[in-house]
């Protein structure tokens, strides 16, 4: 069963990796664990819904999977190029491939994510996390 | 000086004044002043949330950064912030609204005292927010002076004073009620003119394909999503500006103002899209200015922050320039108003209550506090630049690292402790101060490119979760 405690400790483990990435100047060790932090944040938001219907766990998993796919693709396109893919002779709608992946792929996920929020909103009518509700001061 | 631009700016300022008069008549209590009487609907709240996040820093500074260093700022900061709206809605949207439903919960100090039964946490929260507010307001004062002096034949100092008098008028009288409705006007102006500016800029740059090829021939990195920024900086920004959005007090207190929970449903989408629209202005004008500069047709600038205004005055019609400048004034004023209200709440409510003091006639004292904050931030801005710079350290990163763990994780995690909240706030303030001030004096603790605020956020989260009961 998914619990807030587990999610918070999963968040901690990813944050520790992010700190290590910063201390060792390894941007991939910052970025890729952070994509899982995004998924954990969505999981925390949906926890009461997921506890009542486990199939909704695929929403945060799908979101993280999509981000991973797009960022790995961007990494591959830019990787090994001192210009970050800026010298490409291929264009997508007038943009070099790395810029196209970012602004036509990764950026629009910022619209997909709130659509997921709106879609799950009416399904999760608890108004606040029932998990924590009874544990602190009546909230 | 152009009369069309002046006319548009004056119309905008009169509209803001009228909203201020209307809101002042309706502001009767502390609830009205701090949380708009908890009467706000989805669209107003979502646009107010977005416009308080999108400041002069993002639009003027972001365009300047794009002009100087390419798209790295947009990639790391602005794309991340648009995702940050949704993460915040998922993490605390319903929970903050529910908190506001419990009674007199107007400030983050109220939230943490209720959550941890601790006046120490309330006092620390109020202290951190008050310091940050003075720093942020100082930067808004300076930005307002620059923009006003481009519109009117006045000095930046006089421009800042006029702009501040306007913000002060509607903030003192109408509090947050005036704030959210002026934010609505300002946010709509920002979003609409940004899309207009994007297409004008792409046209002036010769089209997207032509701009890409021009950038490639000059410096290939400028055609990429990274620009000349290092990947470590972009990754740090991406973390700080998306997760850290949930720790911005001028944003998350907006959830306390919503009248019904069902109003939350479309808020994240509305805020995200509006923010993305304003990002288009930064991308379009920033890159068009680079291309025109490469072609030798862009004026010489004293600072990259002048790129936006230089583009407007030299490459757009007065009507377009006037609308966009009104949008810039809107960005500065909406952020300034939010911070004035937060600062007043800290001074009048959170810090006194931490010492078991309660002020009679809180509404009157709040209005006085707004005036005091305006005077202090103006004096700091004009006469104590160094102090403003130091307090400016308490920017996005400090708010994120002080507030995200204690408020956001505190609300979602039943096992969160008072000790964790106190520890994370103290650690966040200390880490940010030490790293930022140390950096100014040549003490670089972190590897080059790592953003201090991002490191402070990660460390304070870890400290909060691992603190003993």
């Amino acid at each position: 069963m998914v619990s807030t405690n587990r999610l918070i400790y999963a968040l901690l483990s990813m944050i520790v990796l992010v700190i290590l990435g910063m201390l060792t100047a390894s941007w991939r060790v910052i970025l890729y664990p952070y994509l899982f932090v995004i998924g954990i944040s969505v999981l925390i938001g949906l926890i009461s819904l997921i506890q009542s219907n486990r199939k909704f766990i695929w929403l945060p998993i799908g979101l993280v999977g999509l981000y991973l796919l797009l960022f790995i693709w961007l990494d591959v396109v830019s990787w090994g190029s001192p210009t970050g893919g800026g010298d490409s002779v291929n264009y997508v709608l007038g943009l070099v491939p790395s810029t196209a992946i970012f602004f036509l792929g990764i950026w629009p996920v910022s619209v997909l994510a709130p659509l997921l929020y709106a879609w799950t909103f009416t399904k999760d009518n608890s108004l606040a996390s029932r998990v924590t509700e009874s544990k602190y001061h009546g909230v | 000086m152009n009369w069309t631009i002046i006319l548009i700016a004056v119309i905008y300022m009169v509209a803001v004044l009228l909203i201020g008069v209307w809101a002042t008549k309706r502001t009767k209590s502390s609830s009205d002043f701090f949380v708009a009487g908890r009467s706000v609907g989805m669209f107003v709240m979502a646009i107010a949330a977005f416009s308080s996040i999108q400041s002069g820093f993002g639009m003027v500074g972001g365009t300047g950064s794009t002009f100087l260093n390419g798209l790295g700022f947009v990639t790391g900061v602005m794309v991340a912030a648009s995702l940050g709206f949704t993460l915040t809605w998922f993490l605390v949207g319903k929970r903050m609204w529910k908190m506001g439903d419990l009674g007199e919960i107007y400030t983050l100090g109220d939230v943490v005292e209720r959550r941890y039964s601790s006046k120490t946490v309330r006092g620390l929260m109020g202290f951190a927010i008050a310091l940050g507010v003075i720093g942020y307001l100082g930067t808004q004062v300076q930005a307002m002076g620059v923009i006003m002096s481009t519109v009117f034949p006045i000095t930046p100092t006089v421009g800042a004073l006029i702009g501040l008098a306007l913000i002060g008028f509607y903030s003192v009288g109408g509090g947050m009620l005036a704030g959210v409705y002026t934010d609505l006007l300002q946010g709509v102006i920002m979003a609409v003119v940004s899309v207009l500016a994007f297409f004008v800029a792409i046209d002036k740059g010769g089209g997207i394909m032509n701009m890409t090829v021009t950038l490639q021939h000059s410096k290939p990195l400028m055609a990429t999503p990274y620009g000349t920024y290092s990947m470590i900086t972009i990754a740090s920004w991406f973390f700080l500006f998306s997760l850290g959005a949930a720790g911005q007090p001028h944003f998350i207190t907006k959830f306390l103002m919503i009248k019904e929970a069902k109003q939350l449903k479309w808020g994240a989408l509305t805020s995200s899209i509006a923010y993305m629209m304003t990002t288009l202005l930064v991308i379009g004008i920033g890159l068009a200015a680079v291309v025109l500069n490469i072609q030798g047709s862009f004026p010489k600038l004293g600072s990259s922050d002048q790129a936006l205004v230089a583009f407007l005055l030299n490459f757009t019609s007065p009507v377009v320039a006037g609308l966009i400048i009104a949008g810039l004034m809107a960005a500065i004023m909406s952020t300034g108003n939010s911070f004035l209200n937060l600062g007043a709440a800290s001074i009048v409510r959170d810090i006194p209550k931490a010492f078991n003091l309660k002020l009679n006639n809180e509404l009157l004292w709040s209005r006085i506090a707004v005036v005091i904050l305006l005077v202090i931030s103006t004096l700091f801005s004009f006469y104590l630049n160094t102090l403003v710079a130091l307090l400016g350290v308490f920017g996005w990163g400090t708010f994120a690292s002080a507030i995200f763990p204690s408020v956001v994780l505190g609300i979602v995690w039943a096992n969160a402790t008072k000790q964790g909240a106190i520890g994370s706030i103290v650690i966040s303030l200390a880490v940010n101060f030490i790293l930022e001030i140390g950096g100014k004096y040549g003490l670089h603790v972190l590897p080059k490119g790592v953003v201090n605020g991002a490191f402070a956020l990660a460390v304070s989260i870890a400290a909060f979760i691992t603190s003993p009961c």
Side-chain angles (χ1 to χ4, degrees):
Chain A
M1 178 64 90
V2 179
S3 72
T4 309
N5 259 340
R6 286 185 184 179
L7 292 177
I8 291 292
Y9 289 117
L11 174 73
L12 175 64
S13 62
M14 291 298 111
I15 291 294
V16 168
L17 285 176
V18 168
I19 293 172
L20 286 175
M22 289 181 187
L23 292 175
T24 57
S26 309
W27 67 266
R28 289 184 180 88
V29 185
I30 300 171
L31 182 66
Y32 288 109
Y34 177 60
L35 299 181
F36 288 94
V37 171
I38 292 171
I40 293 166
S41 301
V42 175
L43 260 172
I44 289 172
L46 292 175
I47 191 159
S48 56
L49 182 62
I50 291 169
Q51 284 173 339
S52 62
N53 189 340
R54 273 189 78 82
K55 74 178 182 185
F56 285 102
I57 202 168
W58 289 104
L59 291 180
I61 290 173
L63 187 64
V64 174
L66 182 58
Y67 266 129
L68 275 173
L69 182 74
L70 290 165
F71 272 103
I72 290 171
W73 189 13
L74 179 66
D75 200 346
V76 169
V77 166
S78 308
W79 189 61
S81 163
T83 61
D87 53 358
S88 173
V89 291
N90 299 313
Y91 301 94
V92 181
L93 297 176
L95 303 169
V96 296
S98 57
T99 306
I101 292 168
F102 200 90
F103 287 100
L104 305 178
I106 292 169
W107 198 23
V109 179
S110 299
V111 175
L112 178 67
L115 282 173
L116 289 180
Y117 179 83
W119 182 59
T120 56
F121 185 87
T122 41
K123 297 180 185 302
D124 178 17
N125 240 351
S126 63
L127 292 185
S129 170
R130 286 193 292 259
V131 178
T132 55
E133 194 161 344
S134 61
K135 296 194 177 178
Y136 56 85
H137 316 294
V139 177
Chain B
M1 191 177 75
N2 183 295
W3 285 106
T4 306
I5 295 175
I6 289 176
L7 180 66
I8 292 170
V10 168
I11 290 172
Y12 161 74
M13 289 193 282
V14 169
V16 168
L17 278 174
L18 291 174
I19 292 172
V21 170
W22 168 81
T24 301
K25 287 179 182 170
R26 291 185 46 159
T27 299
K28 310 282 187 204
S29 66
S30 297
S31 169
D32 295 332
F33 194 85
F34 290 130
V35 290
R38 204 165 160 76
S39 62
V40 173
M42 181 283 289
F43 190 73
V44 177
M45 181 272 180
I47 295 296
F50 130 74
S51 60
S52 61
I53 287 287
Q54 183 59 288
S55 65
F57 160 73
M59 296 184 81
V60 179
T63 307
S65 175
T66 305
F67 173 71
L68 197 64
N69 296 308
L71 289 170
F73 180 90
V74 172
T75 300
V77 174
M78 303 190 85
V79 170
S82 56
L83 171 67
F85 288 106
T86 306
L87 293 183
T88 306
W89 250 268
F90 267 117
L91 280 167
V92 293
K94 290 176 181 176
R95 294 173 172 97
M96 280 292 281
W97 179 86
K98 182 80 174 169
M99 271 279 186
D101 210 27
L102 292 175
E104 289 193 2
I105 305 287
Y106 304 151
T107 68
L108 292 185
D110 292 336
V111 170
V112 292
E113 183 178 352
R114 180 94 189 191
R115 170 64 184 87
Y116 300 105
S117 298
S118 167
K119 292 192 181 297
T120 307
V121 182
R122 175 197 272 272
L124 277 171
M125 181 64 67
F127 176 69
I129 290 176
L131 280 181
V133 161
I134 293 171
Y136 250 128
L137 276 174
T139 62
Q140 300 300 316
V141 171
Q142 290 170 346
M144 178 58 84
V146 171
I147 295 297
M148 291 288 280
S149 65
T150 62
V151 179
F152 301 102
I154 51 178
T155 64
T157 304
V158 175
L161 289 173
I162 294 171
L164 285 172
L166 186 58
I167 300 175
F169 173 79
Y170 74 81
S171 300
V172 169
M176 194 42 80
L177 199 58
V180 291
Y181 284 98
T182 50
D183 282 355
L184 176 66
L185 171 72
Q186 292 158 349
V188 170
I189 290 173
M190 275 195 278
V192 172
V193 300
S194 293
V195 175
L196 175 68
F198 175 75
F199 287 107
V200 169
I202 296 299
D203 181 55
K204 297 294 177 188
I208 293 175
M209 185 72 198
N210 181 57
M211 289 168 73
T212 299
V213 172
T214 306
L215 293 171
Q216 282 183 301
H217 286 160
S218 170
K219 192 186 280 186
L221 274 173
M222 295 295 275
T224 71
Y226 321 115
T228 57
Y229 286 103
S230 69
M231 280 306 297
I232 191 89
T233 298
I234 292 171
S236 299
W237 273 340
F238 200 81
F239 165 66
L240 176 62
F241 281 86
S242 52
L243 197 65
Q248 300 308 305
H250 47 310
F251 173 21
I252 56 173
T253 49
K254 298 284 191 296
F255 289 102
L256 298 172
M257 302 173 192
I258 298 176
K259 59 185 171 188
E260 295 169 304
K262 67 181 182 185
Q263 302 287 338
L264 290 163
K265 183 175 180 180
W266 295 104
L269 184 68
T270 307
S271 289
S272 296
I273 288 179
Y275 190 88
M276 290 169 84
M277 288 165 76
T278 57
T279 304
L280 288 175
L281 176 144
V282 174
I283 296 172
I285 294 185
L287 290 184
V290 180
V291 168
L292 292 165
N293 194 44
I294 292 167
Q295 294 169 346
S297 52
F298 202 70
K300 295 287 178 208
L301 304 179
S303 149
S304 60
D305 283 346
Q306 296 169 349
L308 176 51
V309 174
F311 180 87
L312 295 176
L313 297 180
N314 290 283
F315 297 96
T316 64
S317 70
V319 173
V320 172
L323 287 171
I324 295 172
I325 286 172
L328 294 177
M329 292 166 67
I332 295 165
M333 291 172 71
S334 56
T335 305
N337 160 264
S338 290
F339 279 117
L340 279 172
N341 201 278
L342 281 171
S346 294
I347 292 170
V348 171
R349 191 173 172 88
D350 290 336
I351 295 174
K353 282 195 171 186
F355 294 100
N356 284 320
L357 300 171
K358 187 174 187 326
L359 297 175
N360 291 323
N361 201 343
E362 200 172 70
L363 178 58
L364 174 65
W365 283 108
S366 300
R367 286 173 163 158
I368 293 170
V370 168
V371 174
I372 292 171
L373 279 169
L374 272 171
V375 172
I376 291 174
S377 56
T378 305
L379 290 175
F380 280 177
S381 169
F382 288 166
Y383 299 111
L384 294 166
N385 262 327
T386 309
L387 190 54
V388 170
L390 288 179
L391 291 174
V393 167
F394 284 86
W396 184 284
T398 304
F399 279 143
S401 53
I403 294 171
F404 183 87
S406 55
V407 175
V408 177
L409 293 183
I411 289 178
V412 302
W413 188 32
N415 292 335
T417 64
K418 175 176 71 177
Q419 291 81 0
I422 293 171
S424 66
I425 295 172
V426 171
I427 286 171
S428 72
L429 297 181
V431 170
N432 272 291
F433 246 132
I434 290 168
L435 292 179
E436 290 287 346
I437 294 172
K440 288 184 195 301
Y441 292 97
L443 177 67
H444 298 287
V445 179
L446 297 173
K448 190 180 177 188
V450 174
V451 177
N452 293 335
F455 182 75
L457 173 60
V459 168
S460 69
I461 291 173
F464 179 80
I465 296 173
T466 55
S467 70
C469 295

